[in-house]
Amino acid sequence: MRSRATAWSKLPFPFGSEMPWDSTGQEEVYLWSRRFNFTTSALKTLGAVMSYSPKIPSWGYLGNSRRYFDFIVYGGTAPTGTERELHHYGAPLNALVLLDAFRRNSSDLYLLKVGMGGLTGTLSNINSNDGLASMAWHGSPSIMGRDPTNCDYGIGFFGHATN
């Protein structure tokens, strides 16, 4: 992991995926950069996570990382086309970054509030009737409900459980 963290430390944007815009993978870059004292990479990654994890006093938006693609790409239902996904599994992963940064600087309540929003919002993706999880809520006002596919929910729950 040290060699990966070293490579990341030399990149202007050390995170990304197969998507043109993605908000997963940052937790790995941040935590390993912290572990191997690549502070610049860790702070750059924290800044990226903060840029798309809003502090909006709303259940659907507080700490919710911006996501639009997964309903179409991963076989979920997309009756309204590309739409805002609420409490996508990436939000609790990004909460790992925010809450670690808060533990290092407990005077920054922004990190705590947004991190807790991302961390706890993922629990709303668990259906209370059958216990099945969804990767995200449909943000379209015409739907406002869980997607029937779970895709990577387990990874998001990992983010919740480890915090």
Side-chain angles (χ1 to χ4, degrees), residues 2 16 21 47 55 57 62 71 82 89 140:
R2 181 183 295 277
W21 172 258
K55 183 185 167 203
L62 180 62
F71 292 142
T82 301
Y89 69 86
S140 170

Side-chain angles (χ1 to χ4, degrees), residues 133-152:
S134 173
M135 72 169 150
W137 274 74
H138 285 270
S140 170
S142 65
I143 301 172
M144 286 302 292
R146 293 175 193 89
D147 193 76
T149 60
N150 66 6
C151 294
D152 291 329

Side-chain angles (χ1 to χ4, degrees), residues 6-159:
T6 300
W8 292 329
S9 73
K10 297 174 184 174
L11 296 173
F13 303 103
F15 31 78
S17 77
E18 72 281 7
M19 297 295 166
W21 172 258
D22 202 350
S23 61
T24 55
Q26 283 80 344
E27 74 286 348
E28 180 181 10
V29 173
Y30 174 86
L31 293 169
W32 285 112
S33 294
R34 280 284 185 212
R35 169 71 173 87
F36 295 116
N37 296 314
F38 292 110
T39 305
T40 301
S41 290
L43 292 176
K44 188 185 313 183
T45 307
L46 172 62
V49 170
M50 289 175 66
S51 74
Y52 54 73
S53 299
K55 183 185 167 203
I56 299 173
S58 164
W59 157 83
Y61 292 100
L62 180 62
N64 181 28
S65 304
R66 293 184 191 273
R67 294 300 291 231
Y68 294 91
F69 305 111
D70 285 11
F71 292 142
I72 294 172
V73 176
Y74 296 117
T77 58
T80 60
T82 301
E83 64 182 285
R84 180 72 185 258
E85 298 171 8
L86 304 178
H87 296 296
H88 179 271
Y89 69 86
L93 294 177
N94 288 314
L96 291 168
V97 174
L98 297 170
L99 294 174
D100 179 79
F102 171 73
R103 290 180 193 104
R104 294 171 184 277
N105 180 11
S106 60
S107 65
D108 191 340
L109 296 180
Y110 178 92
L111 295 168
L112 176 64
K113 291 174 184 177
V114 176
M116 289 303 294
L119 185 68
T120 58
T122 194
L123 297 177
S124 65
N125 290 332
I126 300 173
N127 188 321
S128 62
N129 294 324
D130 57 20
L132 297 177
S134 173
M135 72 169 150
W137 274 74
H138 285 270
S140 170
S142 65
I143 301 172
M144 286 302 292
R146 293 175 193 89
D147 193 76
T149 60
N150 66 6
C151 294
D152 291 329
Y153 179 80
I155 296 169
F157 190 77
F158 170 80

